[in-house]
Amino acid sequence: MGHERRLHLKTLFMVSVMVTCATIGDLLLKRGMVQIGAVPQLSPAVLWHTLRLTIVSGTIWLAILFLIGFMLSNMTVLSWADYSYVMPASAIGYAVVAFVGMTVLGEKVTALRWLGVALICVGVILVGRTNPRTTQAPR
């Protein structure tokens, strides 16, 4: 297998790790904040109370771990692939988030939102067909 093909496959793998970690992290963050409850006002006392509840929430900490996984995989893939490839390719996460929001969280996703998601997916397909790195790696 050629170098460019391996680069393409490992980049797509890491982008999928990024999307998975970000989606699970965001889902857990949403769940954790729903468990904590709405912040009714932005007074110091209410914000302090919300912060204390957030700090002791296992769901929030699990979300943070997944979001750290996202950050580490993002940093890793950016070390070998172009930013102009990685960020558009990872936009497939928007489609995953819309689907998860609808199926797991019971959110209503309108036809207009699905149209937007479809346009994003077309862009991801177009970007995914290009070479992940157009510049020479630093020596």
Side-chain angles (χ1 to χ4, degrees):
M1 185 180 328
H3 174 71
E4 282 191 24
R5 179 83 175 134
R6 275 185 305 210
L7 176 65
H8 201 97
L9 289 175
K10 78 177 186 176
T11 301
L12 290 177
F13 173 76
M14 288 307 290
V15 166
S16 67
V17 170
M18 283 173 50
V19 169
T20 300
C21 286
T23 302
I24 293 171
D26 289 342
L27 175 66
L28 290 169
L29 196 59
K30 169 67 175 167
R31 287 255 166 114
M33 291 312 296
V34 166
Q35 291 168 353
I36 289 170
V39 180
Q41 56 183 319
L42 298 179
S43 70
V46 170
L47 290 175
W48 180 247
H49 176 70
T50 303
L51 177 63
R52 285 195 326 252
L53 292 174
T54 302
I55 289 171
V56 298
S57 170
T59 306
I60 297 291
W61 282 107
L62 191 55
I64 290 169
L65 287 176
F66 273 98
L67 293 172
I68 289 171
F70 160 77
M71 183 186 68
L72 293 174
S73 58
N74 191 15
M75 289 174 11
T76 301
V77 75
L78 286 173
S79 74
W80 69 67
D82 291 346
Y83 180 72
S84 61
Y85 178 91
V86 173
M87 296 316 292
S90 66
I92 195 69
Y94 294 118
V96 175
V97 166
F99 181 75
V100 168
M102 183 184 75
T103 58
V104 176
L105 298 174
E107 297 177 353
K108 185 177 187 318
V109 181
T110 65
L112 190 58
R113 282 192 195 174
W114 282 122
L115 178 61
V117 167
L119 290 173
I120 290 169
C121 291
V122 168
V124 169
I125 290 167
L126 291 174
V127 169
R129 296 176 52 103
T130 65
N131 191 348
R133 184 170 58 210
T134 59
T135 57
Q136 291 296 329
R139 296 181 195 255

